[in-house]
Amino acid sequence: MKHTTSILFCGLYLIAIATAGPATHAAENEPIKNVLMIVSDDLKASVLGCYGDPRCETPNIDRLAARGMLFRRAYCQGTWCLPSRKSFMYSKYQGTSLKTLGGFLQEHGYYSARVGKIFHMRVPGDIIDGTHGEDVEACWTERFNSAGREAHTPGDYACLNQNIFTDAPENRQSTRMPHRMFVTVQYDGSGDDQPDAKSAAKSIELLREHADQPFFLAVGFVRPHYPMVAPRNYFNQYPLSSIETPHVPENDLDDIPAAGLRGTRNGNNTIGQYPENQKRMWQGYYATVTFMDRQVGRILDELDRLGLANSTAIVFTSDHGYHLGEHTLWQKKNFHEEVTRVPLIISVPGIASGQTDAIVELVDIYPTVAELLGLAAPNDLDGVSLVSVLKDPTRSVRDSALSLDRIKSGWEFADRGDRWAYMRYVDGSEELYDMDSDPNQFRNLANLPEYAAHLEASRRRMDDKIKRHELKR
């Protein structure tokens, strides 16, 4: 079974890390003067090889993890692109701080560049148009977009919830269309014309141009965000016969409140009628993750070739995770673990590689970067520096992680503690999960009297954080 294989894979991976020893030694490295931040889009942590998936091929992200610190319990603040990206670029749960991360570093003499999607862009809309979306110009010395044809890429197009397969260029689901979330395109090509390949190429160019000055280079890849477009050979790596869709217990949704079932699921979307196409969704996701991973590798190779690896801190993460049929749910904007848990790898020359169970948040990236560069972070940030955890993976800097979602009638919150995951909606309904005994969150304990004490403790912990940070409700 996949679950057993994942456990075995994780064990072997940990042994490999332990026996390999530290990836770098302080005496061999220059002072940290550069930061490379790579952000994937809609990437769930659990799909990566270094996070335990035995099927998805991510050799380049895995090698970054082998030389850096892998955070097993990192959580996003926003559950979709726009708020999440604002949260880590401003280090704020809600609203903005006085300076973006890039603006702050510019004030201290850094060249700050964006390639691709860092702040929110409409995918596919802004990608097709080559436009800036919700980008903040003051964050960057220079900024570069990476355009692509997206669903209009010539090739074998599928709209999987409509069970449509064609190579015709007409009538493809694209910008602002209702079924665009279920589109894949397999095509015969090298991939060089794809947005992420263009972003990698531009990033390599900028590394060469700015190798002799302190830089902050933020590279935003759009895959595996829909439409899931990649050369055919990436799809061929994942034959449908090898794919297992997530196990969903009978009546799994019965104890989830209605507010927790907003959005797309098998019961309200025709994807539920096509089990084979659900496998094709996984195939497309795997294919585009592997394609994105290839672009990560190109940048890492160039960083090494230029001799910058010993002076550059690298951060790899995603804006949020993604549902691919878990609990019969699809996409994002949800408080369950598949959405809120994100990959976070931080590789710092002079700091040993490893893994940590410390609970951390995406808002922590900004103050971490500041401390790594020897700078005093602005005092209006919500995040905390993770440098102490990088140096000692047994350390903790917070007791829980907060995720937020705004709907028309107010704010909703989730609080992920060491053991208990708690969610509260505007209508007062709640979810509570024991992550030790139920890591897949199949049994909501919020309404069971024997868990009342744990529920109340989770409420208090969340309310304390909301009050401390003066968050809107």
Side-chain angles (χ1 to χ4, degrees):
M1 296 297 292
K2 180 178 177 180
H3 179 67
T4 303
T5 308
S6 298
I7 293 173
L8 177 60
F9 183 92
C10 288
L12 292 173
Y13 183 81
L14 286 167
I15 292 170
I17 292 292
T19 56
T24 57
H25 300 277
E28 300 172 358
N29 296 289
E30 312 160 26
I32 304 303
K33 67 174 186 176
N34 312 310
V35 176
L36 169 64
M37 183 171 77
I38 302 174
V39 182
S40 183
D41 202 345
D42 288 12
L43 177 65
K44 59 166 72 187
S46 59
V47 81
L48 300 176
C50 53
Y51 279 87
D53 192 305
R55 186 176 296 110
C56 193
E57 297 183 22
T58 53
N60 297 294
I61 297 170
D62 294 351
R63 69 175 162 119
L64 178 63
R67 76 191 210 190
M69 185 64 65
L70 183 147
F71 291 82
R72 285 189 287 256
R73 298 198 292 183
Y75 292 87
C76 64
Q77 278 53 79
T79 60
W80 61 289
C81 301
L82 189 153
S84 179
R85 290 165 181 271
K86 283 180 65 177
S87 76
F88 62 73
M89 290 303 293
Y90 285 104
S91 188
K92 299 294 285 186
Y93 294 113
Q94 296 173 341
T96 62
S97 52
L98 293 176
K99 291 289 181 181
T100 64
L101 175 55
F104 167 72
L105 293 178
Q106 285 183 73
E107 288 186 343
H108 288 84
Y110 285 79
Y111 169 77
S112 174
R114 168 185 67 78
V115 181
K117 178 180 176 180
I118 295 297
F119 288 95
H120 181 53
M121 292 178 176
R122 293 175 300 120
V123 180
D126 285 313
I127 307 305
I128 293 173
D129 296 339
T131 43
H132 294 303
E134 302 286 334
D135 188 51
V136 179
E137 185 175 8
C139 188
W140 315 110
T141 311
E142 293 186 282
R143 55 184 182 165
F144 305 92
N145 298 326
S146 300
R149 300 179 71 178
E150 298 291 81
H152 307 286
T153 302
D156 291 339
Y157 162 94
C159 184
L160 295 170
N161 72 328
Q162 299 294 292
N163 201 35
I164 294 172
F165 301 87
T166 181
D167 61 1
E170 299 84 15
N171 301 317
R172 296 190 175 196
Q173 289 285 311
S174 188
T175 306
R176 299 189 187 279
M177 294 182 179
H179 306 298
R180 66 190 183 281
M181 294 77 74
F182 294 94
V183 167
T184 67
V185 181
Q186 306 180 41
Y187 77 105
D188 297 311
S190 66
D192 290 346
D193 59 341
Q194 291 302 302
D196 287 353
K198 293 179 180 179
S199 290
K202 187 64 182 181
S203 299
I204 289 169
E205 178 185 320
L206 293 176
L207 287 174
R208 293 170 180 170
E209 290 178 2
H210 299 278
D212 296 328
Q213 68 179 113
F215 63 77
F216 169 55
L217 176 59
V219 185
F221 293 128
V222 296
R223 301 283 87 92
H225 194 293
Y226 59 77
M228 293 180 283
V229 184
R232 190 182 310 279
N233 60 293
Y234 287 90
F235 283 80
N236 291 342
Q237 289 179 240
Y238 304 103
L240 295 182
S241 60
S242 71
I243 293 176
E244 301 174 26
T245 53
H247 168 66
V248 180
E250 189 176 355
N251 303 320
D252 181 36
L253 304 186
D254 288 359
D255 59 0
I256 298 179
L261 296 176
R262 297 192 197 104
T264 305
R265 62 185 190 276
N266 286 348
N268 64 11
N269 189 284
T270 49
I271 189 65
Q273 301 175 18
Y274 303 109
E276 197 73 0
N277 287 354
Q278 294 176 31
K279 289 187 175 184
R280 290 188 172 95
M281 284 292 293
W282 275 93
Q283 181 188 47
Y285 194 86
Y286 279 145
T288 49
V289 167
T290 300
F291 180 75
M292 178 273 298
D293 176 86
R294 172 71 186 100
Q295 313 318 314
V296 172
R298 293 172 61 195
I299 296 173
L300 296 181
D301 288 346
E302 186 64 18
L303 197 75
D304 291 342
R305 191 190 71 79
L306 292 170
L308 293 170
N310 285 343
S311 60
T312 303
I314 305 171
V315 178
F316 176 86
T317 192
S318 175
D319 48 5
H320 50 74
Y322 208 70
H323 274 303
L324 285 167
E326 298 90 354
H327 307 285
T328 75
L329 304 175
W330 295 88
Q331 296 144 41
K332 45 205 169 186
K333 219 173 186 308
N334 181 282
F335 286 139
H336 285 259
E337 192 86 347
E338 287 297 325
V339 172
T340 58
R341 180 173 174 248
V342 293
L344 178 62
I345 300 165
I346 302 178
S347 175
V348 183
I351 297 180
S353 61
Q355 300 194 6
T356 178
D357 283 323
I359 294 175
V360 302
E361 300 177 334
L362 288 186
V363 292
D364 299 332
I365 292 173
Y366 187 155
T368 302
V369 167
E371 184 174 352
L372 287 172
L373 295 174
L375 304 174
N379 59 14
D380 63 336
L381 308 184
D382 287 338
V384 296
S385 174
L386 303 178
V387 171
S388 62
V389 181
L390 290 171
K391 294 179 177 179
D392 179 1
T394 66
R395 290 283 302 272
S396 295
V397 294
R398 56 174 76 253
D399 60 359
S400 67
L402 190 68
S403 299
L404 306 80
D405 188 28
R406 186 177 185 178
I407 62 173
K408 289 182 179 179
S409 54
W411 288 85
E412 298 179 327
F413 300 89
D415 187 74
R416 172 61 159 94
D418 181 60
R419 178 175 176 182
W420 304 95
Y422 171 64
M423 310 163 196
R424 185 169 67 213
Y425 303 99
V426 167
D427 63 4
S429 59
E430 299 169 299
E431 296 179 59
L432 179 71
Y433 296 95
D434 183 345
M435 300 302 293
D436 285 354
S437 63
D438 182 24
N440 294 312
Q441 299 178 318
F442 289 143
R443 187 179 183 223
N444 179 14
L445 308 173
N447 296 319
L448 300 179
E450 59 267 39
Y451 294 96
H454 297 297
L455 179 64
E456 184 56 33
S458 296
R459 287 170 177 163
R460 286 198 304 269
R461 187 177 62 203
M462 175 189 283
D463 288 337
D464 286 347
K465 183 173 262 189
I466 291 171
K467 182 178 180 180
R468 184 166 68 252
H469 293 282
E470 299 180 342
L471 302 181
K472 298 176 184 177
R473 300 190 187 221

